[in-house]
Amino acid sequence: MSEKVAIVTGANKGIGLAIVKGLCKRFRGAVYLTSRDEERGLKAVQTLQELGLTPTFHKLDVSDEYSVKEFSDFIKNKHGGFDVLINNAAILEWEQVYPSYEAAKRNIDVNYGSLLLIEQYLYPFLRDGARVVNVSSACGHLSNLKNKKWLDVFTRQDFTTEDINRFVDEYLISVRNGTFNRDDFADGGKHAEHRVSKIAVTALTMVQQRKYPNVSINAVHPGHVKTDMAFGKGDIEPDDAAKTILYLIFDASPNLKGTFMWYNRKLVDWFDIEGDYYYQHSE
């Protein structure tokens, strides 16, 4: 029987590192801690080794096609497939409440575009019964969106990856052309780039689940975590936030598929556009 394999992206610190730590304690197989920065990744592995845990480091820049392909070739050649994937890598340039086009594109390329690359190169090696968790956020709930045209698309429930891509592209074009409308999003459109990327992540989760029925794919909002991304302003420690993700990997029913789970393990209705699940920015 092939060795089981788990992969965590963006795992050299914060919630990613906490997820790897939790996996190493319970997962019977190889656990890959991946990071764009090799030095920080190796340091993170050393930190866990000092706790008696045995993760393996592999460099992975999720927004670079060559890096993703190289990693997928490695997994294919060494293991033949894998069983667990946590797509955690993400960025947020917190100081730009209404970002420039360049900042908005960076956010979307890392947070959403990377998932398309990972699907293209890594999903062919997902084994039957595998579990995938896409780390989204409160920004990823559909109540963040107020534009009727796109609400009509996403409440149809049979939207496609192409629909998501058009949504993302239309937002970026509006930022580049200076036609961005703050009223298209909740909370005055603050950090709309992050709302767009995370709405896209959650929506893609549902599309992917339809495409890969033999795998459990779910999105999760891990809470407002105390990480560098939140400048330490969060109210949940990374180890606590990781528990919900680890629950989806180890304890949730394999029939739980294509859902959006809140940090308290509540399954929220992503299509509840009148709900108050949207992210509210505070200075």
Side-chain angles (χ1 to χ4, degrees):
M1 183 177 178
S2 299
E3 179 184 29
K4 290 201 168 188
V5 177
I7 299 164
V8 186
T9 71
N12 65 278
K13 61 182 178 180
I15 188 171
L17 183 59
I19 294 166
V20 172
K21 181 164 65 173
L23 282 170
C24 285
K25 290 177 178 178
R26 293 185 61 185
F27 187 73
R28 295 184 178 179
V31 178
Y32 282 93
L33 183 159
T34 73
S35 169
R36 177 178 59 183
D37 188 301
E38 184 170 0
E39 182 178 352
R40 292 177 181 174
L42 290 171
K43 185 176 180 180
V45 166
Q46 182 180 359
T47 298
L48 295 180
Q49 288 174 339
E50 291 170 358
L51 299 175
L53 305 175
T54 56
T56 300
F57 173 74
H58 200 289
K59 185 174 181 179
L60 175 63
D61 181 347
V62 296
S63 61
D64 179 77
E65 183 172 4
Y66 176 80
S67 180
V68 176
K69 184 179 185 303
E70 183 180 50
F71 181 60
S72 73
D73 288 343
F74 167 80
I75 292 295
K76 175 187 176 183
N77 294 332
K78 184 171 179 63
H79 299 286
F82 65 104
D83 308 272
V84 169
L85 172 63
I86 295 99
N87 288 308
N88 171 70
I91 63 169
L92 170 58
E93 297 178 36
W94 190 262
E95 68 280 2
Q96 295 195 42
V97 177
Y98 297 103
S100 65
Y101 170 78
E102 290 76 17
K105 191 172 188 306
R106 278 195 298 272
N107 183 289
I108 288 169
D109 283 349
V110 173
N111 296 357
Y112 171 64
S114 66
L115 268 63
L116 299 178
L117 289 176
I118 286 169
E119 179 180 349
Q120 178 181 352
Y121 289 105
L122 277 167
Y123 276 42
F125 306 112
L126 281 168
R127 294 176 178 139
D128 283 353
R131 299 197 180 201
V132 177
V133 177
N134 293 327
V135 179
S136 184
S137 80
C139 284
H141 191 274
L142 196 55
S143 59
N144 284 276
L145 184 60
K146 301 302 178 184
N147 180 289
K148 185 179 185 304
K149 168 188 169 182
W150 287 110
L151 286 174
D152 287 346
V153 171
F154 290 127
T155 53
R156 221 174 47 220
Q157 302 194 24
D158 63 347
F159 54 82
T160 64
T161 301
E162 290 71 26
D163 289 325
I164 304 171
N165 291 343
R166 281 191 288 269
F167 164 64
V168 167
D169 290 343
E170 186 171 294
Y171 162 72
L172 286 173
I173 290 169
S174 76
V175 174
R176 185 179 61 195
N177 294 347
T179 57
F180 169 68
N181 183 356
R182 297 181 181 185
D183 292 336
D184 284 343
F185 298 90
D187 200 25
K190 297 170 185 174
H191 287 297
E193 84 289 2
H194 206 62
R195 298 177 201 267
V196 168
S197 70
K198 291 300 188 177
I199 289 170
V201 166
T202 314
L204 184 66
T205 300
M206 300 175 190
V207 173
Q208 289 178 337
Q209 186 63 83
R210 297 198 302 264
K211 292 167 67 176
Y212 304 95
N214 295 329
V215 176
S216 297
I217 307 175
N218 294 285
V220 65
H221 163 44
H224 195 194
V225 188
K226 292 180 181 178
T227 63
D228 292 347
M229 187 185 296
F231 289 88
K233 296 179 181 179
D235 53 13
I236 300 177
E237 295 293 340
D239 282 349
D240 290 329
K243 289 177 182 177
T244 302
I245 293 159
L246 294 168
Y247 167 79
L248 285 169
I249 297 301
F250 291 113
D251 305 312
S253 167
N255 296 318
L256 189 67
K257 297 182 175 185
T259 68
F260 190 23
M261 181 170 282
W262 223 239
Y263 62 89
N264 57 4
R265 300 187 188 175
K266 175 184 176 181
L267 292 177
V268 303
D269 180 3
W270 187 72
F271 299 97
D272 181 9
I273 62 175
E274 301 298 334
D276 60 354
Y277 297 108
Y278 62 90
Y279 172 72
Q280 298 180 54
H281 175 78
S282 58
E283 297 296 340

